[in-house]
Amino acid sequence: MTIKDLPQRPGETVTVTGWIATLRVHARVAFIVLRDGTGVVQGVVVKSQLPDDIWELATALTQESCIALTGVVRADARAPGGHELTVTGIELIGASEEFPIQPKEHGVEFLLDHRHLWLRSNRQRAGLRVRAEVEQAIHDFLYERDFVRIDTPILTGSIGESAGTLFETDYFGERAFLAQTGQLYAECAAPAFRKVYCFGPTFRAEKSKTRRHLTEFWMIEPEVAFADSDDNMDLQEEFVCYVVARALERCGPELEVLERDVSMLESVRPPFPRISYSEAVERLNAERAAAAAAPDSPAHPFEWGRDLGAVEETTISSWFDRPVFVYNYPREAKAFYMKENPDDPRTALCNDLLAPEGYGEIIGGSQREDDLDRLLARIREERLPEEAYDWYLDLRRYGTFPHSGFGLGLERTVGWITGRPHIRELVPFPRLINRLKP
Ligand code: 4AD
Ligand code: MG
């Protein structure tokens, strides 16, 4: 019997097992709020109606003790969960010492130190349940569209994104890295299956201490043969709309616990605005010039060629009420594998998808360079070790084909959907530059 089944059992005597979320003991009555993972229910313990030993046990209980609670189910609109148990029996399964996390404000470092216990808190449970639903929605979306899931290696000898953010390890005497992306491997599976995706943990030794950066995060990376950059954005748009709609449909109670303003998510419908990098920079600089006219303004023009930072991304997303694509960035600001834009070779056929409300880049995607010589030139330009990419270059030697794909950051996406200020709460055990524990 679980708590979520109680509404079907009015008047019955049932036993539920779980942990004590809160406990109030008065002279003649005690209230135990039990959490079992499916819901919460309040048990009412009335001294005069119970044998002494049960009452004594009830008064000795502590927060987060694990117990079996037996009682009669009663509908009560005021009770959390809509039902109450009139307690007839209590069994102690696992007593709890004084629980470190009390129903009061704790500092975030303290909470992160106790992440293994913090997971039990209402908001943390709500956020992680949304994460789980989003993961399921991702698999469903791609499965329904005939994508084949390809699991890509975590230990690799090739640099996936950039040399600057690698976790390096010794692989029996060989240099190895933790994967920054599964993309290069997913690309190899596209000629086998046409539409594929990988979904796994990825690693970036980024020294960024921001609310959007983890050193270990989960990324979903679809790769599609014969898709160009525009098709790629179409797919991202459909994908993000599907995932958000699913969260709205199935995670109402969790979004309520998180006090998420869901009207911000209801506007996530196609089409998403699409603005080129160059247009975005022009508009940013027009705004900055207007602001600079004000006395004491620190506004500097944004230099064409640089990658957009969090500040620019927030400004650009503020122009729209839904996610916005910024496409065709300067080549030197982006990874080596992106296809040169034939209409403007200073740029690549790529896009970022920026989430609203300052959540920044949730997707990075591109058409891939399918020309062997141009790809080699880029690898050399970036001073990447050419010999590590022989297999990747083979893809351009044996039946090269136009293809595109993208990577969606799971924690950033769930951070935005749940409206939480920092993405570290949307992964069960965050890895941050100063945190490897728990
Ligand atoms: O833009 P990125 O670096 O793209 C890639 O890795 C490509 N290989 C994807 C592809 O085309 N298959 O990363 C993709 C996404 C970002 O948009 C962001 O959402 C997330 O991964 N991301 C991070 N999330 C948390 N912490 C970090 N340090 C992140 N770095 C990237
Ligand atoms: Mg990116």
Side-chain angles (χ1 to χ4, degrees), residues 161 204 307 313 333-334 337-338 351-352 361 363-365 407 412:
E161 288 293 320
R204 309 268 168 105
D307 201 359
E313 288 177 356
K334 293 289 182 188
Y337 51 70
M338 296 184 179
N351 74 269
D352 280 359
E361 178 198 334
I363 290 182
R412 286 200 194 167

Side-chain angles (χ1 to χ4, degrees), residues 13-260:
T13 298
V14 301
T15 299
V16 287
T17 45
W19 297 262
I20 298 175
T22 61
L23 186 67
R24 281 178 299 139
V25 180
H26 303 289
R28 290 187 192 82
V29 62
F31 300 96
I32 301 172
V33 175
L34 195 74
R35 179 192 75 245
D36 79 342
T38 74
V40 292
V41 67
Q42 173 165 275
V44 183
V45 190
V46 182
K47 185 179 180 185
S48 62
Q49 294 171 6
L50 291 166
D52 286 350
D53 57 331
I54 294 181
W55 174 254
E56 265 157 41
L57 177 57
T59 58
L61 289 171
T62 51
Q63 186 194 339
E64 289 303 324
S65 287
C66 180
I67 61 169
L69 202 56
T70 302
V72 183
V73 180
R74 297 200 194 289
D76 183 340
R78 293 160 308 166
H83 285 75
E84 260 186 7
L85 280 185
T86 304
V87 173
T88 55
I90 303 170
E91 184 200 335
L92 182 62
I93 297 170
S96 175
E97 297 173 20
E98 193 179 343
F99 198 65
I101 301 174
Q102 297 290 317
K104 62 161 193 167
E105 287 290 307
H106 290 285
V108 72
E109 288 304 318
F110 177 88
L111 290 168
L112 286 168
D113 286 341
H114 295 87
R115 182 62 174 169
H116 50 297
L117 303 176
W118 189 26
L119 291 179
R120 305 179 190 190
S121 303
N122 275 345
R123 272 203 295 221
Q124 300 311 308
R125 290 189 304 129
L128 292 176
R129 197 178 281 278
V130 175
R131 176 189 168 107
E133 188 62 45
V134 166
E135 289 195 55
Q136 189 60 47
I138 286 168
H139 289 302
D140 291 347
F141 176 90
L142 293 164
Y143 184 81
E144 286 162 14
R145 283 158 189 77
D146 297 327
F147 281 75
V148 176
R149 183 177 182 179
I150 296 292
D151 297 318
T152 55
I154 287 170
L155 286 167
T156 173
S158 317
I159 301 168
E161 288 293 320
S162 78
T165 61
L166 288 167
F167 281 110
E168 197 177 326
T169 181
D170 172 70
Y171 191 74
F172 307 110
E174 221 179 307
R175 259 180 108 192
F177 313 108
L178 298 185
Q180 296 174 318
T181 170
Q183 175 199 322
L184 309 191
Y185 296 98
E187 279 186 59
C188 299
F193 300 105
R194 198 175 186 104
K195 299 201 277 187
V196 298
Y197 74 105
C198 57
F199 192 174
T202 47
F203 306 86
R204 309 268 168 105
E206 283 185 279
K207 298 237 163 64
S208 323
K209 244 184 165 175
T210 78
R211 63 196 198 91
R212 305 171 177 182
H213 285 92
L214 300 166
T215 56
E216 177 179 307
F217 63 96
W218 287 66
M219 184 161 42
I220 163 86
E221 298 183 88
E223 194 68 36
V224 182
F226 306 107
D228 67 14
S229 187
D230 290 327
D231 301 330
N232 199 28
M233 286 190 270
D234 292 345
L235 179 64
Q236 292 166 49
E237 184 176 279
E238 196 189 349
F239 184 48
V240 168
C241 290
Y242 180 99
V243 165
V244 169
R246 178 78 163 261
L248 282 171
E249 181 194 317
R250 301 210 187 159
C251 297
E254 286 78 15
L255 295 172
E256 204 177 310
V257 167
L258 296 165
E259 296 173 68
R260 180 64 167 125

